[in-house]
Amino acid sequence: NAGVTQTPKFQVLKTGQSMTLQCAQDMNHEYMSWYRQDPGMGLRLIHYSVGAGITDQGEVPNGYNVSRSTTEDFPLRLLSAAPSQTSVYFCASNPRSGGTDTQYFGPGTRLTVL
Amino acid sequence: AQSVTQLDSHVSVSEGTPVLLRCNYSSSYSPSLFWYVQHPNKGLQLLLKYTSAATLVKGINGFEAEFKKSETSFHLTKPSAHMSDAAEYFCVVNYRDDMRFGAGTRLTVKP
């Protein structure tokens, strides 16, 4: 198993550009989520999904869109990038929804918005 | 809404001495609680979790944590620090898929 994979590892954008961060898992996990990590603030939940076709907002959803068309993939879209979105982004998956399972994290994507 | 407060942003210990990383949580319900570790430029790894079974939870690498409902605390301890324990530690509260991370505690281990 590859676990949770994220692409790209690094990305530089200009303000106003759009892009999609890719996340995939090969463990048939029901639950997937996106976080951003900023210095001194820990990880903050952006969006999550409890299964294909079902998504919900986390703590900091503004400026981000998600969709879940398959169990394996959970892309994160930035429609119009802003400098405030400069951060490290982590994707994670759990076997099930409900909040008791261990989360498996991807290696992260470091995004810089100029 | 639920939240997590890690009481120390930085803890420094000498190798071989005990480690205590403090975490308080706020939740209207009975949450699940986790500790994760992040080594420099690496992803996050689960140390241990509490999900309403035994209140004293043992994790990997000699770490353990005790859930104290009356104090709304979930402090992480280790009897003897090792140089390889130097990392960032995150306390996490989870209720019905709404995961909230603490700001993190950076552990430094001196030789």
Side-chain angles (χ1 to χ4, degrees), chain A residues 4-23:
Chain A
V4 180
T5 57
Q6 292 182 237
T7 56
K9 284 187 166 52
F10 300 94
Q11 183 70 49
V12 179
L13 292 178
K14 294 181 180 178
T15 297
Q17 286 185 316
S18 63
M19 80 157 297
T20 299
L21 306 185
Q22 300 291 346
C23 173

Side-chain angles (χ1 to χ4, degrees), chain B residues 23-45:
Chain B
C23 172
N24 285 354
Y25 71 92
S26 171
S27 177
S28 303
Y29 308 96
S30 296
S32 299
L33 294 159
F34 305 77
W35 276 98
Y36 283 85
V37 61
Q38 185 179 34
H39 290 277
N41 299 313
K42 295 286 181 65
L44 286 93
Q45 181 185 20

Side-chain angles (χ1 to χ4, degrees), chain B residues 60-71:
Chain B
I60 61 171
N61 300 334
F63 284 96
E64 64 180 37
E66 186 172 7
F67 173 69
K68 291 188 176 180
K69 187 173 181 178
S70 61
E71 298 176 11

Side-chain angles (χ1 to χ4, degrees), chain B residues 20-99:
Chain B
L20 170 63
L21 306 183
R22 298 182 295 165
C23 172
N24 285 354
Y25 71 92
S26 171
S27 177
S28 303
Y29 308 96
S30 296
S32 299
L33 294 159
F34 305 77
W35 276 98
Y36 283 85
V37 61
Q38 185 179 34
H39 290 277
N41 299 313
K42 295 286 181 65
L44 286 93
Q45 181 185 20
L46 178 71
L47 279 178
L48 50 81
K49 65 178 179 179
Y50 166 78
T51 58
S52 77
T55 56
L56 183 61
V57 182
K58 293 189 185 299
I60 61 171
N61 300 334
F63 284 96
E64 64 180 37
E66 186 172 7
F67 173 69
K68 291 188 176 180
K69 187 173 181 178
S70 61
E71 298 176 11
T72 60
S73 69
F74 191 57
H75 301 335
L76 182 71
T77 60
K78 182 173 180 177
S80 176
H82 192 272
M83 295 297 291
S84 61
D85 294 329
E88 187 95 15
Y89 291 79
F90 294 98
C91 182
V92 182
V93 61
N94 189 343
Y95 180 73
R96 291 188 176 177
D97 301 317
D98 183 4
M99 297 236 343

